[in-house]
Amino acid sequence: MSQNPARIDLVPKRLAAVAEFRKLPEAASLAAANKRIRNILRKSPVPASAAPQAGRLTEPAEKALFEAVERLAPDTRDFVEQGAYTRRSSSSPRRAGRSTGFFDEVLVMAEDEAVRANRLALLGRLDRLMNEVADISKLAA
């Protein structure tokens, strides 16, 4: 409900998707990663709508995350448009899970302003995709 859904009749489907998501072995780590992403973005001057630029990616972990996000986006859009929330919530987190390795290997708040902005844009895109159905950061302990 925190996302203020436009259609209340879809809330039960979204709740079912959250319940399925919570059953996944990686649910807790993904929720924690998403909470971390949200905290970083909240403090960021980069607009939430900024798009990451592939040509500005330098680290292997950020390139891998970008590729995972790019593969995730069409499926997420299709599942959400079809109202197939449970299908989306159970299939895409495994691909989005690369965010946890990203934090181990990449300094998001790099000194170079363009690099930092691009990394923040990448996290913003991932955040939007991860939270299409529900705000999973709220599931973090």
Side-chain angles (χ1 to χ4, degrees), residues 40-54:
I40 291 169
L41 293 175
R42 215 171 301 179
K43 299 173 188 174
S44 166
V46 174
S49 62
Q53 297 177 11

Side-chain angles (χ1 to χ4, degrees), residues 20-94:
E20 287 300 311
F21 172 81
R22 292 186 83 160
K23 294 177 186 176
L24 296 173
E26 57 273 282
S29 65
L30 287 170
N34 190 246
K35 185 174 182 177
R36 185 173 183 182
I37 291 168
R38 287 266 164 116
N39 288 335
I40 291 169
L41 293 175
R42 215 171 301 179
K43 299 173 188 174
S44 166
V46 174
S49 62
Q53 297 177 11
R56 290 202 172 153
L57 303 171
T58 58
E59 300 295 326
E62 68 183 329
K63 290 177 182 180
L65 181 59
F66 178 81
E67 290 169 8
V69 167
E70 289 302 303
R71 284 191 307 271
L72 177 64
D75 288 347
T76 298
R77 185 175 44 253
D78 291 347
F79 292 157
V80 170
E81 286 175 3
Q82 296 167 11
Y85 303 123
T86 302
R87 193 166 143 214
R88 185 261 177 215
S89 292
S90 63
S91 66
S92 57
R94 289 174 177 88

Side-chain angles (χ1 to χ4, degrees), residues 60-137:
E62 68 183 329
K63 290 177 182 180
L65 181 59
F66 178 81
E67 290 169 8
V69 167
E70 289 302 303
R71 284 191 307 271
L72 177 64
D75 288 347
T76 298
R77 185 175 44 253
D78 291 347
F79 292 157
V80 170
E81 286 175 3
Q82 296 167 11
Y85 303 123
T86 302
R87 193 166 143 214
R88 185 261 177 215
S89 292
S90 63
S91 66
S92 57
R94 289 174 177 88
R95 290 184 278 170
R98 291 193 170 103
S99 63
T100 54
F102 174 85
F103 287 123
D104 293 338
E105 300 172 26
V106 176
L107 177 62
V108 176
M109 302 308 276
E111 286 188 34
D112 182 305
E113 189 175 323
V115 171
R116 180 177 58 243
N118 201 50
R119 289 175 179 169
L120 289 166
L122 177 56
L123 290 179
R125 180 141 162 81
L126 177 59
D127 178 67
R128 289 187 299 277
L129 288 172
M130 290 177 80
N131 295 291
E132 281 281 334
V133 174
D135 182 352
I136 66 168
S137 70

